Amino acid sequence: YLTESGGGLVQTGGSLQLSCSASGSAFGTYTMAFFRQYPGKEREFFAAAFWNNDRPRYAPSMHDRLTVSRDNINNAAYLHIDDLKPEDTATYYCAAGQYITTRYNLEDVYDYWGPGTQVTVSS
């Protein structure tokens, strides 16, 4: 299973790093992705770190503020977000999909999801 951490209250212009810890084996075969969700809306793709170490992919509207990475030794993935804005206030999720290299921005390709962590950006 997956567990997110690192959410909380942040000031506008600040940064934070979300962590996603995974249990189980074969972490290195899973593409790790981050999504976010506004109340009443569907989850939207944010970033993906691929199992085969292909270059990360980011949501085009956010790519200049995001850095995703993974640590296959410690079964973890990380998402760093810079220059936070009030509109970044949302629930953030990590997801894992085995051997995913395409359609990585779609929810339905992922096998496992974390419970989510709330990020609130104060103005």
Side-chain angles (χ1 to χ4, degrees):
Y1 64 93
L2 305 177
T3 305
E4 303 95 345
S5 60
L9 179 64
V10 186
Q11 290 188 334
T12 295
S15 301
L16 64 75
Q17 178 164 285
L18 302 178
S19 300
C20 177
S21 297
S23 64
S25 60
F27 178 81
T29 67
Y30 284 82
T31 287
M32 302 300 297
F34 288 87
F35 288 70
R36 71 179 176 187
Q37 186 174 31
Y38 298 107
K41 303 290 186 182
E42 293 187 355
R43 282 185 284 214
E44 60 180 32
F45 170 77
F46 231 38
F50 295 94
W51 68 276
N52 60 357
N53 292 318
D54 194 4
R55 64 178 177 86
R57 302 296 197 275
Y58 300 104
S61 62
M62 297 278 303
H63 71 93
D64 57 340
R65 297 197 286 131
L66 304 176
T67 303
V68 67
S69 60
R70 61 187 296 150
D71 179 350
N72 288 349
I73 301 298
N74 293 303
N75 285 11
Y78 306 98
L79 179 68
H80 186 89
I81 312 174
D82 290 316
D83 191 22
L84 283 156
K85 308 175 189 301
E87 52 265 39
D88 294 320
T89 296
T91 302
Y92 287 72
Y93 297 88
C94 68
Q98 196 168 36
Y99 299 126
I100 297 301
T101 57
T102 61
R103 301 173 66 237
Y104 49 83
N105 58 325
L106 302 179
E107 289 186 65
D108 60 1
V109 306
Y110 293 96
D111 305 305
Y112 302 102
W113 291 84
T117 185
Q118 177 68 32
V119 173
T120 302
V121 184
S122 63
S123 57

